[in-house]
Amino acid sequence: MIKRIGSCFILGLIINEILKGRVNSMSILIGPMKLHLNGHKELTSHGEVKNIVAGKKVFIPLMACTDVLVKAGDTVKAGTMLAKRDDHFKVPIFSSVSGKVLGIEELEHTTGRVIDHVVIENDGLNTFERPFEPIDAEKASVEELVTFMMNAGIVGCGGAGFPSYVKYKGAKGIHTLLINAVECEPYITADYRIMDNQVEELVYGTKTMLKMSGAKKALIAIKKTKKDLIAKVREAVKDTEGLFVEEVPDQYPMGWERTLIYEVFKKRYDKLPGEIGVIVNNATTAIAFSEALRYGKPIIEKICTISGDAVKNPSNVRVPVGVSVQEIVEQIGGYAYDEVRIVGGGPMMGKTVSTDRAVINSASNAITILKPDEDEAIACLRCGRCNDHCPAGILPVRINNAEEAGDVKLLTKLRADQCIECGMCTYVCPSKIEVTEGVRRGKALLRAAAQK
Ligand code: SF4
Ligand code: SF4
């Protein structure tokens, strides 16, 4: 049985670490706004990447998508365009398997939202058709590359899923392309494994993005503790003009765009990194872009970390988009307990889902599966730790109170919208209060008020 959880497991994580003696309470808190976490990355960082076979049906999520191009009964191949986003971002969505379209079904997504999915009956043949032709990135103009990126459906692969072409369209005054290969959340090692396996693609994708950005240099930011990967990437970029490796501290949330930019450039910005002349893209996005450029392959499969203390064999898997968590876990050995809690993403920033029918999507990088948290929260001690450690510089406990009171004016004043949902406030709370959940609800309240 799959049990719904909140994010209060994060405190359990830290307390467990202390009790196990792997870290001590003094060494965890290495300074305001950043923590060094025991990442549990050894569970998956060096094992084989297991291939997951899609079952009889796959469910392709239609995030923010209104223009569906197929109907029940249509035959599709892996690579067939199923839909196109019809909002500000015209990116397409492709089938990951060949077979027959059965219709549209509402399902919980790994973000916790219930959205439409195209249901495809998998014929098991995996017949592929190129939805677009490869392109010579050296010869293509910047405009052609931006259009290519849009039509290839390249989205941020670090979990956000933001259409990447938007960052390059009309980019001006950019001095640096920053490739985010930090992967700071506990348990997740998918980026590490992909970069280790596909370093040439990383270089090709980054080189092309550098051309599109108009910048003089690209920095590939990797945690300084990843010595083997740093050496490998340095070797791979040594003959490519403008590409460099940037070592950054092993702290959380170093992978958050603002933290990373501050670490590298010692600058802050208001809304977008472009304001200070920087474009940021995830390392696996660069790899996915390279595969599109060179092979005409859209993002129809993902390498994801399936890890946590409630899965028997934590693993990195190569899985077609649209395959459920349940099917993946079955194929890697099953759950370790009858009741588990499932998080779409890593344990800090990921969202809890109530069902293991949720599927892998083009932005997925991890599913974390944990033991249910039995401990109850107690009253706020007013210790102020959550405020002290918030990397966004806002006041989580006050935002929680404002949310409970439904005070939209105060939520606006407290800048609840600035929260990056990093999970740090819950992590440090000694009362086991799900502070992050309260701030998330506060943000939702603000959004709803803005829509009115
Ligand atoms: S308020 Fe948001 S940004 Fe600040 S610590 Fe909590 S989750 Fe992180
Ligand atoms: S960390 Fe927890 S106990 Fe301390 S002020 Fe914040 S909500 Fe209250």
Side-chain angles (χ1 to χ4, degrees), residues 51-56 58 60 75-80 94-100 120-130 297 300-301 318-321 323:
N51 287 318
I52 300 297
V53 179
K56 289 199 173 110
V58 300
I60 309 292
T75 301
V76 295
K77 294 178 179 166
T80 300
F94 305 96
S95 179
S96 61
V97 295
S98 53
K100 194 167 79 179
I120 299 170
E121 187 178 47
N122 180 15
D123 64 13
L125 301 174
N126 211 21
T127 317
F128 176 73
E129 70 174 0
R130 268 185 188 161
K297 183 184 167 199
I300 56 174
E301 64 173 19
R318 179 177 286 102
V319 54
V321 167
V323 172

Side-chain angles (χ1 to χ4, degrees), residues 61-75:
L62 299 177
M63 277 303 267
C65 181
T66 54
D67 201 359
V68 181
L69 307 172
V70 291
K71 57 184 184 318
D74 285 357
T75 301

Side-chain angles (χ1 to χ4, degrees), residues 83-387:
K84 207 164 192 176
R85 277 177 68 159
D86 195 17
D87 50 6
H88 300 301
F89 311 118
K90 308 288 178 199
V91 289
I93 293 169
F94 305 96
S95 179
S96 61
V97 295
S98 53
K100 194 167 79 179
V101 176
L102 296 179
I104 307 281
E105 193 175 318
E106 275 194 346
L107 272 177
E108 189 171 337
H109 185 258
T110 51
T111 56
R113 287 168 54 200
V114 174
I115 61 164
D116 283 343
H117 291 62
V118 177
V119 187
I120 299 170
E121 187 178 47
N122 180 15
D123 64 13
L125 301 174
N126 211 21
T127 317
F128 176 73
E129 70 174 0
R130 268 185 188 161
F132 47 82
E133 288 304 309
I135 183 173
D136 186 335
E138 308 241 323
K139 289 188 186 147
S141 69
V142 168
E143 289 71 28
E144 283 168 337
L145 288 167
V146 172
T147 304
F148 179 90
M149 188 180 243
M150 178 177 76
N151 292 336
I154 301 299
V155 294
C157 294
F162 186 75
S164 300
Y165 79 93
V166 178
K167 299 182 178 186
Y168 298 92
K169 196 175 177 186
K172 283 203 179 73
I174 302 298
H175 58 76
T176 307
L177 169 66
L178 186 57
I179 296 294
N180 186 347
V182 178
E183 199 167 53
C184 61
E185 276 221 55
Y187 289 109
I188 309 180
T189 59
D191 280 8
Y192 172 77
R193 291 312 309 269
I194 300 166
M195 286 187 283
D196 196 39
N197 290 347
Q198 295 182 264
V199 73
E200 271 180 39
E201 306 291 357
L202 173 67
V203 173
Y204 192 79
T206 302
K207 199 170 87 171
T208 310
M209 286 168 160
L210 179 62
K211 174 177 171 177
M212 291 161 68
S213 71
K216 289 271 183 295
K217 64 177 174 184
L219 303 177
I220 301 173
I222 305 175
K223 282 193 295 199
K224 57 174 61 153
T225 47
K226 296 281 177 206
K227 299 282 180 216
D228 51 345
L229 184 65
I230 288 170
K232 193 166 193 173
V233 177
R234 273 219 170 103
E235 178 63 24
V237 301
K238 75 174 195 288
D239 298 324
T240 308
E241 199 185 332
L243 266 58
F244 306 94
V245 171
E246 177 81 17
E247 297 184 32
V248 297
D250 182 0
Q251 293 170 339
Y252 182 82
M254 190 54 71
W256 178 39
E257 207 162 83
R258 287 178 193 269
T259 310
L260 183 59
I261 284 187
Y262 189 75
E263 176 64 34
V264 176
F265 303 102
K266 300 290 176 273
K267 281 187 180 165
R268 301 188 196 280
Y269 56 90
D270 181 22
K271 289 194 170 67
L272 294 170
E275 293 160 23
I276 55 159
V278 180
I279 288 178
V280 185
N281 255 137
N282 181 267
T284 48
T285 311
I287 291 170
F289 186 39
S290 174
E291 291 188 326
L293 291 162
R294 296 171 92 177
Y295 319 121
K297 183 184 167 199
I299 305 173
I300 56 174
E301 64 173 19
K302 295 287 300 183
I303 291 181
C304 287
T305 303
I306 313 295
S307 191
D309 59 9
V311 62
K312 280 186 185 157
N313 300 309
S315 309
N316 276 306
V317 298
R318 179 177 286 102
V319 54
V321 167
V323 172
S324 70
V325 173
Q326 182 188 38
E327 286 175 282
I328 298 171
V329 174
E330 263 170 30
Q331 291 184 41
I332 62 171
Y335 296 113
Y337 302 95
D338 291 340
E339 288 196 352
V340 297
R341 34 195 209 188
I342 294 179
V343 184
M348 300 293 283
M349 294 183 105
K351 301 267 168 58
T352 299
V353 292
S354 64
T355 170
D356 60 1
R357 286 193 67 206
V359 300
I360 298 301
N361 61 73
S362 54
S364 300
N365 60 351
I367 301 291
T368 308
I369 300 166
L370 298 154
K371 281 191 265 187
D373 198 332
E374 307 293 345
D375 298 334
E376 296 292 325
I378 59 169
C380 173
L381 304 170
R382 298 176 189 273
C383 66
R385 265 193 220 178
C386 54
N387 297 340

Side-chain angles (χ1 to χ4, degrees), residues 33 256 380 382-404 407 410-422 424-426 428-429 433-440 442-443 446:
M33 302 196 290
W256 178 39
C380 173
R382 298 176 189 273
C383 66
R385 265 193 220 178
C386 54
N387 297 340
D388 293 345
H389 287 86
C390 172
I394 54 178
L395 304 172
V397 66
R398 290 199 60 200
I399 292 171
N400 259 245
N401 296 340
E403 186 274 327
E404 273 171 25
D407 191 336
L410 188 54
L411 285 170
T412 311
K413 195 173 161 204
L414 293 169
R415 298 178 300 138
D417 62 312
Q418 294 293 308
C419 167
I420 58 157
E421 303 184 17
C422 68
M424 190 88 92
C425 46
T426 295
V428 298
C429 175
I433 297 169
E434 294 182 23
V435 194
T436 307
E437 288 302 318
V439 182
R440 269 185 191 143
K443 284 174 71 180
L446 279 184

